Amino acid sequence: VQLQASGGGLMQAGGSLRLSCTASGLPVSSRPVGWFRQAPGKEREFVAAISGDTDATRYADSVKGRSTISRDNTKNTVYLQLNSLKPEDTALYYCAAGTYRTPLSVLREVNGNKYWGQGTQVTVSS
C-alpha cells in the first residue's frame, strides 16, 4: 500500500490550495482516509477525514468552514481543499488511511491509522 501526497508549496495568506492523496494497493472508495499536519516543534494533528462507505466527513475546528475533503474513486484519490489560508496552516501535510472498519472517531487519532503517506509541505506567507 502506498499513499502519495502532493500539491503543497509556498502560498500567500488568503489563498487556496488543493492537496491530493493518491493511493495504490488500497481502494479509497471503501476505506476511510484522513489528512493530518505537523508543524515544526508541534505534534501531528488531525485536519480532516472522509469515511469509506457513507462519505461522511469530519474536520478539525481549525479548518472547519474553510476546507473540504472529497474523493474521486476513478482516480483513487482523496483531495483536501483548504481556503482562506493562514500562516498557521504552515505544516507538513500527511494523508493516512485506516482499515475498512475504522470509524472516523478513531481515524482522527494519529494511532487510528494503518497507512501513511510521505507528506507534502505547505508554507503560507503573510
Side-chain angles (χ1 to χ4, degrees):
V1 173
Q2 286 190 331
L3 299 174
Q4 182 73 37
S6 61
L10 178 62
M11 312 291 176
Q12 292 284 334
S16 299
L17 62 78
R18 188 178 77 161
L19 303 179
S20 300
C21 175
T22 301
S24 58
L26 177 154
V28 301
S29 59
S30 59
R31 292 287 188 104
V33 176
W35 283 95
F36 293 76
R37 66 187 182 186
Q38 187 166 18
K42 294 187 176 182
E43 293 186 350
R44 193 170 299 187
E45 64 175 9
F46 169 75
V47 178
I50 185 168
S51 70
D53 49 2
T54 66
D55 283 341
T57 57
R58 296 289 186 274
Y59 297 94
D61 289 343
S62 58
V63 302
K64 194 173 294 182
R66 61 186 183 96
S67 66
T68 303
I69 187 170
S70 61
R71 178 173 52 218
D72 185 336
N73 294 336
T74 65
K75 297 181 179 179
N76 212 33
T77 298
V78 173
Y79 302 100
L80 178 69
Q81 177 77 29
L82 190 56
N83 304 317
S84 301
L85 289 169
K86 306 174 182 180
E88 49 264 43
D89 292 322
T90 295
L92 189 59
Y93 282 71
Y94 298 90
C95 60
T99 66
Y100 286 104
R101 298 178 179 177
T102 304
L104 293 186
S105 59
V106 174
L107 195 82
R108 65 185 300 156
E109 303 297 328
V110 172
N111 293 334
N113 293 270
K114 186 173 182 179
Y115 306 103
W116 288 88
Q118 86 292 356
T120 183
Q121 178 67 39
V122 173
T123 303
V124 182
S125 62
S126 57

